[in-house]
Amino acid sequence: MYELVIISKTAADQNEVHDMVSRVVKEANGTVKNVDEWGDKEFTYPIKGHVAGTYCTYDVEIEGENIAELEQLVNFEDDILRSMIILKEE
């Protein structure tokens, strides 16, 4: 199980972001098990010209060999400012 942490643009529709993440995870042969929205947070410094973003974590069940593909697909999306994938201890 992996945890995908996403920071999206505050102007982005969060339902569309959730749908996009689900689609991208499915394209990488994984499934989203849980979503935890943290809400909007201000940044210490601008990221891609934005001073705030919406944080959300996704518990993702995916094979290790598909992580690079998932990371590439997520980072390709316009509404995503930053992302990080972490292996969760079970």
Side-chain angles (χ1 to χ4, degrees), residues 45-60:
Y45 55 88
I47 298 175
K48 296 183 181 178
H50 296 269
V51 295
T54 303
Y55 286 70
C56 193
T57 62
Y58 299 85
D59 291 337
V60 177

Side-chain angles (χ1 to χ4, degrees), residues 16-33:
E16 289 179 11
V17 171
H18 295 322
D19 290 345
M20 177 276 302
V21 169
S22 294
R23 177 183 47 80
V24 167
V25 168
K26 189 174 181 180
E27 285 178 27
N29 297 320
T31 56
V32 174
K33 295 295 183 183

Side-chain angles (χ1 to χ4, degrees), residues 23-82:
R23 177 183 47 80
V24 167
V25 168
K26 189 174 181 180
E27 285 178 27
N29 297 320
T31 56
V32 174
K33 295 295 183 183
N34 188 39
V35 179
D36 184 18
E37 293 186 33
W38 295 359
D40 295 347
K41 308 277 185 204
E42 288 188 18
F43 302 143
T44 303
Y45 55 88
I47 298 175
K48 296 183 181 178
H50 296 269
V51 295
T54 303
Y55 286 70
C56 193
T57 62
Y58 299 85
D59 291 337
V60 177
E61 194 168 293
I62 190 169
E63 294 295 325
E65 66 259 10
N66 297 332
I67 293 297
E69 180 184 2
L70 175 60
E71 194 168 37
Q72 184 179 25
L73 290 168
V74 168
N75 289 329
F76 184 71
E77 296 295 327
D78 289 335
D79 286 334
I80 304 301
L81 299 175
R82 285 278 199 281

